[in-house]
Amino acid sequence: MNLDIIDRLAASVFEGYLVRKDLAGQFKGQYPVPTYVGEFLLGRYCASTDEEEIREGLDVVQRLMNERTVRAGTQELFKARARERGSVKLIDLVTARLDAKTDAYLAELPSLQLRDVRITPELVQEHERMLTGGFYAEVELEYDAVIAAEKSGRPFGVASLRPIQLSKRSALTELAQGRAAFTSEQWKALLLRSVGFEPEALSERARDVLLLRMVPFVERNYNAVELGPRGTGKSHLYQQVSPYAHLVSGGKASVARMFVNNSTGQRGLVTQYDVVCFDEVSGVSFDQKDGVNIMKGYMESGEFSRGRESIRADGGVVMVGNFDVDVTHQQRTGHLFGPMPPEMRDDTALMDRIHAYLPGWDVPKLHAGLFTGHFGLVSDFLAECWHQLRFQGRWHGVAHRVRLGGALSGRDTTAVGRTVSGLLKLVSPDEAAEIEDADLEWAVRLALEVRRRVKEQQKRIGSAEFRNTHFSYQLGEEGVERFVTTPELQSDDAIGTDPLPPGQVWALGTGGLDEHAGLYRIDVTEGPGSGVRVLNNPVPRPFQESIRFAEQNLYAQARFLVGERDPRQHEYSVQLRAFDSARSGSSLGLPALLALCSVLLGRSLRGGLIVAGHLNLGGGLDPVYNAVDLAELAAEKQAAALLVPISARKQLNDLSDDVAARLTLLYYTDARDALLKALVE
């Protein structure tokens, strides 16, 4: 293996906590234990970059896995060894239950098919999680021949056990200290390698989704949904990487097992694990009619009731499942919660309690090329650090730097805050470290997107209270308001209902003798300097004229259009994009002027708006002779509104009822009036 810069950095600051992930892959599927069990032993014996030490440690791990894991058909051999030697050591999933008849706890070791193993109350109290699903541990199993001779005797007993997880309290401190050696992008890459993926083989989008999967591990009471194609590893993190997570396979979900057993008082999974994941969620149903309501109450407040007692827990609820169709078809025929169980799929109250909907369709199907052969953090070390991060907060430390838009409700703000907090904990585990603007904006944009995806589905179900989904944010006191959409709702050439970034405008060219009317988008950016530079090569001559007229009107009417800002102190880069057969960019003076004003003011134009009209050098408006054609084209492009000069009003009286019902007509009298009506309020 060739060590790259991330390997070398990790080896210099995380000595003893690294493992080559391809070594862990060697054990996957060979032994009846999760990945983190093998990594626990690899971390103990192979946490080195020295090839000789790795080989020696690998031999030890191989021997221990061979000797202590129970493969199918060898269970009687282990029992016989316990009898002959007095005890035997093995690695197994340990669960326990209270036997009321004998007033004693009994442990279960499924690989040995033993359901009545003696265990002391002290061990059970020390490791309560064995009562709610259990955990993997190194177990010393003893055999007592005297008890075996008794009637109904239970000869097997747990002499000692050691959970397969790290409990070192300084783990997070060491993680935070080591993080300082990495850039943010290098650290994200190490995190992805630590859970088995090679970041270089993934798109930026897929990397972000995989990092979002980690948020429930570091944020208390975090609720998420991920639906997508089969074979993308949606349940991998919850089953293989952390002992603090529990995977509930599809089928009946017991209220007693999830929350509390009223007959025994035993607390459920959400009190014992950091994350409870429902796999194949489409097949999940509760054993009680009010099961979904109990879960909704818990997802909202982190509490549930047992009689008069209110019990608090901080386990997050994650639901993963498969789409049987593609996303486009799912949106065309229903909504993206369609694969959920019938009692959940149209429940907007349940949806409102979901902090994030992860786009599982953006992660490729797993294949050998996606898995890393580089170094990553040992899973149990990483899982322990994630567990300790749950008791920290990040949002309160950065909230003053972010202004969320008016479309977000109280629950939206809470959801976004939790996602931002989780992402920032992942990329900056040191609570005292300064969060860079780039990292903060990355976290905010992702958080707004995954929450907005929830709101878009609520809107599709038809509830009026969820109509406004135009999520936006501003960074800093004078930051530009930026809108965040969900990629599956909007393509690059679609006129969506979300405002475009400042400097961008949809425009209709009126055409002429040689071409029809056509749709364009004008994109303008500004920087230090002066003048206007058109990036198209070659520049269509009619568009060159439109830009020249827009520039001169901006300079001449600056006081009325942009106030105290001096447009001559900026250089503007302009790009014209044509979406129809019309390419000349003629008669676009007014839309070009609005794009220049928008970027200078740092304000977006209204979402779903198309602008038509042309200026002359004196500031006057040229008449539009084909206003009905323009309106019909705007409706065809699914625009919400058309901004046209007032001189077109009489023509538009002849507009068909169908187009008039779908399109809002906005009239302007001059350039300033057009700008005021075009800007986002």
Side-chain angles (χ1 to χ4, degrees):
M1 183 191 81
N2 293 323
L3 299 181
D4 64 11
I5 185 170
I6 299 174
D7 290 323
R8 289 192 289 272
L9 282 172
S12 67
V13 295
F14 289 120
E15 185 179 354
Y17 295 125
L18 289 181
V19 66
R20 258 179 44 195
K21 292 295 172 172
D22 58 335
L23 299 181
Q26 291 181 21
F27 297 106
K28 190 173 183 180
Q30 285 193 37
Y31 302 97
V33 292
T35 302
Y36 66 81
V37 173
E39 283 198 23
F40 178 81
L41 296 174
L42 288 169
R44 190 188 295 171
Y45 298 106
C46 300
S48 170
T49 58
D50 183 271
E51 290 293 336
E52 185 59 34
E53 289 182 18
I54 288 175
R55 272 195 298 272
E56 291 175 1
L58 204 54
D59 290 340
V60 175
V61 174
Q62 192 88 40
R63 178 169 53 79
L64 290 175
M65 292 286 268
N66 279 325
E67 291 177 356
R68 297 187 182 181
T69 57
V70 185
R71 302 194 193 199
T74 64
Q75 56 267 30
E76 295 304 322
L77 178 61
F78 274 80
K79 294 176 189 176
R81 285 176 180 169
R83 179 182 180 277
E84 299 303 322
R85 302 174 185 174
S87 67
V88 68
K89 291 184 178 180
L90 69 151
I91 296 172
D92 202 357
L93 178 68
V94 183
T95 60
R97 72 183 190 279
L98 177 65
D99 181 18
K101 291 181 179 178
T102 59
D103 190 30
Y105 288 105
L106 297 177
E108 180 177 346
L109 300 175
S111 63
L112 294 183
Q113 298 176 6
L114 291 176
R115 290 183 46 82
D116 55 353
V117 180
R118 292 176 285 106
I119 188 169
T120 65
E122 290 75 21
L123 272 178
V124 174
Q125 289 163 13
E126 186 180 350
H127 306 286
E128 279 194 332
R129 283 195 302 136
M130 69 175 70
L131 293 166
T132 56
F135 55 86
Y136 277 89
E138 296 176 294
V139 180
E140 183 181 359
L141 183 69
E142 63 182 6
Y143 183 88
D144 191 324
V146 175
I147 297 178
E150 297 175 358
K151 184 179 179 181
S152 302
R154 296 182 175 121
F156 291 101
V158 175
S160 65
L161 61 81
R162 178 183 178 184
I164 302 288
Q165 66 187 78
L166 187 77
S167 58
K168 191 176 179 183
R169 299 308 302 171
S170 64
L172 181 56
T173 302
E174 295 180 40
L175 184 80
Q177 290 172 348
R179 162 66 178 93
F182 297 79
T183 66
S184 293
E185 292 307 311
Q186 289 171 339
W187 183 250
K188 291 176 189 176
L190 181 63
L191 286 177
L192 291 172
R193 286 178 175 178
S194 297
V195 297
F197 292 98
E198 178 49 53
E200 294 299 320
L202 297 163
S203 67
E204 182 179 359
R205 182 72 178 157
R207 293 196 295 267
D208 285 345
V209 176
L210 292 174
L211 289 166
L212 281 164
R213 286 180 180 174
M214 302 176 191
V215 172
F217 291 88
V218 298
E219 194 68 18
R220 286 184 288 177
N221 297 108
Y222 189 82
N223 308 316
V225 164
E226 181 180 354
L227 301 176
R230 289 175 171 81
T232 56
K234 292 184 292 294
S235 60
H236 165 76
L237 207 60
Y238 311 103
Q239 186 176 31
Q240 299 289 343
V241 173
S242 173
Y244 289 105
H246 186 82
L247 193 70
V248 178
S249 297
K252 283 283 185 184
S254 163
V255 171
R257 187 178 173 215
M258 273 291 295
F259 300 105
V260 65
N261 188 320
N262 282 336
S263 60
T264 65
Q266 180 59 49
R267 307 292 172 90
L269 295 173
V270 293
T271 68
Q272 299 291 329
Y273 290 92
D274 291 351
V275 189
V276 178
C277 175
F278 288 93
D279 194 15
E280 303 290 353
V281 69
S282 60
V284 169
S285 62
F286 278 94
D287 60 343
Q288 296 179 19
K289 287 186 177 180
D290 61 347
V292 172
N293 289 331
I294 294 172
M295 188 166 77
K296 275 195 294 191
Y298 172 71
M299 291 169 71
E300 171 71 16
S301 64
E303 295 184 359
F304 52 91
S305 296
R306 175 183 174 266
R308 296 181 180 179
E309 182 186 5
S310 182
I311 300 171
R312 175 142 198 96
D314 59 18
V317 176
V318 175
M319 293 175 263
V320 300
N322 299 318
F323 272 145
D324 292 323
V325 294
D326 62 35
V327 176
T328 304
H329 179 75
Q330 186 70 35
Q331 290 190 117
R332 192 165 55 244
T333 59
H335 56 79
L336 295 181
F337 280 104
M340 298 282 279
E343 61 268 32
M344 298 183 190
R345 68 172 61 119
D346 293 318
D347 189 337
T348 57
L350 175 72
M351 295 176 194
D352 223 20
R353 290 153 171 79
I354 294 170
H355 300 124
Y357 188 134
L358 278 60
W361 48 86
D362 285 331
V363 179
K365 286 184 177 291
L366 300 185
H367 57 82
L370 295 181
F371 301 119
T372 190
H374 289 272
F375 283 99
L377 296 170
V378 176
S379 291
D380 67 301
F381 170 71
L382 185 63
E384 178 61 28
C385 293
W386 284 353
H387 176 70
Q388 293 182 26
L389 279 169
R390 293 170 68 81
F391 303 99
Q392 297 181 7
R394 287 290 189 279
W395 176 244
H396 66 276
V398 297
H400 66 283
R401 295 165 57 186
V402 183
R403 289 178 58 195
L404 299 176
L408 279 81
S409 68
R411 280 185 176 143
D412 297 330
T413 302
T414 298
V416 169
R418 289 192 176 185
T419 305
V420 170
S421 177
L423 289 169
L424 293 181
K425 288 178 192 178
L426 290 169
V427 299
S428 183
D430 184 355
E431 193 171 17
E434 181 67 25
I435 303 295
E436 297 178 4
D437 284 347
D439 289 337
L440 178 57
E441 185 164 19
W442 166 78
V444 169
R445 290 190 68 86
L446 277 180
L448 285 168
E449 179 203 318
V450 293
R451 175 59 183 179
R452 177 170 176 176
R453 188 170 289 109
V454 175
K455 295 299 287 285
E456 289 290 349
Q457 311 323 307
Q458 292 174 306
K459 184 169 75 171
R460 281 174 176 267
I461 291 172
S463 183
E465 65 181 299
F466 306 115
R467 290 290 163 82
N468 189 357
T469 59
H470 297 160
F471 282 13
S472 63
Y473 69 96
Q474 291 173 261
L475 284 185
E477 290 298 320
E478 302 297 328
V480 173
E481 184 176 23
R482 302 191 183 278
F483 290 82
V484 177
T485 186
T486 58
E488 69 273 6
L489 290 178
Q490 185 172 347
S491 62
D492 197 37
D493 60 350
I495 300 175
T497 58
D498 286 281
L500 293 171
Q504 294 186 13
V505 60
W506 291 107
L508 289 178
T510 56
L513 295 175
D514 299 326
E515 69 177 14
H516 295 291
L519 175 68
Y520 299 88
R521 198 175 80 198
I522 302 172
D523 297 358
V524 180
T525 58
E526 61 86 22
S530 61
V532 174
R533 184 165 57 101
V534 181
L535 302 179
N536 298 70
N537 188 18
V539 182
R541 183 166 294 182
F543 183 62
Q544 186 80 59
E545 179 184 86
S546 296
I547 283 295
R548 184 166 62 87
F549 287 5
E551 179 185 11
Q552 294 305 316
N553 275 277
L554 175 62
Y555 296 156
Q557 303 184 60
R559 185 162 158 252
F560 301 101
L561 294 172
V562 294
E564 299 299 319
R565 295 169 178 81
D566 184 358
R568 296 180 186 274
Q569 300 300 313
H570 302 260
E571 181 185 64
Y572 307 92
S573 298
V574 182
Q575 186 170 24
L576 178 72
R577 298 187 61 189
F579 295 96
D580 291 319
S581 59
R583 301 280 169 177
S584 71
S586 66
S587 303
L588 294 178
L590 191 280
L593 176 61
L594 296 190
L596 291 168
C597 293
S598 168
V599 75
L600 197 55
L601 293 168
R603 294 180 60 188
S604 298
L605 303 186
R606 291 172 51 161
L609 177 72
I610 294 186
V611 182
H614 191 47
L615 292 163
N616 55 45
L617 282 176
L621 301 174
D622 288 355
V624 173
Y625 297 107
N626 57 342
V628 172
D629 291 343
L630 295 180
E632 289 175 346
L633 181 57
E636 178 188 323
K637 301 297 184 181
Q638 300 183 342
L642 173 65
L643 185 64
V644 289
I646 190 66
S647 60
R649 184 175 62 84
K650 289 184 180 179
Q651 295 180 58
L652 292 172
N653 287 334
D654 296 330
L655 204 58
S656 70
D657 292 345
D658 176 57
V659 174
R662 288 189 286 144
L663 191 68
T664 299
L665 299 173
L666 302 172
Y667 299 104
Y668 58 89
T669 56
D670 55 29
R672 185 172 187 274
D673 186 37
L675 179 62
L676 292 174
K677 288 176 177 173
L679 288 171
V680 170
E681 297 175 358

